[in-house]
Amino acid sequence: MRVLVVTGAGVSAESGIPTFRGRDGYWRNFDPAKLATPEAFARDPELVWQWYRERRERIRAAQPNAAHHAIAKFAGHADEFLLVTQNVDDLHARAGLPNEKMVQIHGDIFVTRCSRCHFSRLDYEHDHENVLPTCPECNALMRPGVVWFGEQLPWSEAQRIEIFFLEGLAMS
């Protein structure tokens, strides 16, 4: 059995993670142009980092819900499985879904990447600091590892989805 599952913000809402456009969504209280664009980061990186640190803290305090656990369990029963999620949180992984069975098409909020070069790392230890992280490779500002408005989706992740889909078509 070959299974493709697609999730968005709604799957994590039950865990207390606000959606973006819903009744209590992030974009009801915040302007995306001030927090989730390369231009916003260039204009006020401290404000952007403050917002992402608060979101990271909220996600760390959340627990995977029944949907996350059901998807992880289902993945274990499928011959081939791929979850494509718009979520940048780690709740699917904490529910037990292996990274190789998941594509976070909008990135990972816990990854910090360079705004200039290709350096990136999983980064938990700098969240409590109120300093702007800089790249150890080129000294440029580091930014959250998420896809912002106006940016392209990561090519390698889009290719993973396409290959999974095309292999499924070839099998049928």
Side-chain angles (χ1 to χ4, degrees), residues 12 20 24 59 66 69 146 162 169:
S12 292
F20 281 87
D24 296 319
I59 292 166
H69 288 291
V146 299
E162 183 177 357
L169 288 177

Side-chain angles (χ1 to χ4, degrees), residues 94-119:
R94 284 198 274 151
L97 188 66
N99 285 337
E100 62 271 7
K101 294 188 176 193
M102 176 175 34
V103 171
Q104 286 181 284
I105 198 67
H106 288 164
D108 183 335
I109 198 167
F110 293 110
V111 167
T112 301
R113 67 182 178 95
C114 183
S115 59
R116 183 183 309 148
C117 74
H118 293 293
F119 180 82

Side-chain angles (χ1 to χ4, degrees), residues 25-63:
Y26 281 121
W27 300 147
R28 291 255 186 236
N29 303 317
F30 300 104
D31 179 357
K34 291 183 180 167
L35 298 168
T37 64
E39 296 79 17
F41 186 71
R43 201 173 31 255
D44 195 346
E46 275 187 53
L47 176 65
V48 171
W49 265 115
Q50 178 185 352
W51 188 63
Y52 278 92
R53 284 184 181 117
E54 289 171 8
R55 287 182 61 207
R56 284 177 169 185
E57 188 176 310
R58 183 176 207 150
I59 292 166
R60 267 196 294 280
Q63 294 302 313

Side-chain angles (χ1 to χ4, degrees), residues 139-160:
N139 211 35
L141 283 178
M142 298 284 282
R143 56 163 277 185
V146 299
V147 177
W148 283 333
F149 291 100
E151 294 182 323
Q152 295 290 321
L153 296 175
W155 176 246
S156 61
E157 298 299 90
Q159 275 189 307
R160 283 182 63 202

Side-chain angles (χ1 to χ4, degrees), residues 6 47 63 77 119-120 133 135:
V6 180
L47 176 65
Q63 294 302 313
H77 296 291
F119 180 82
S120 68
C135 178

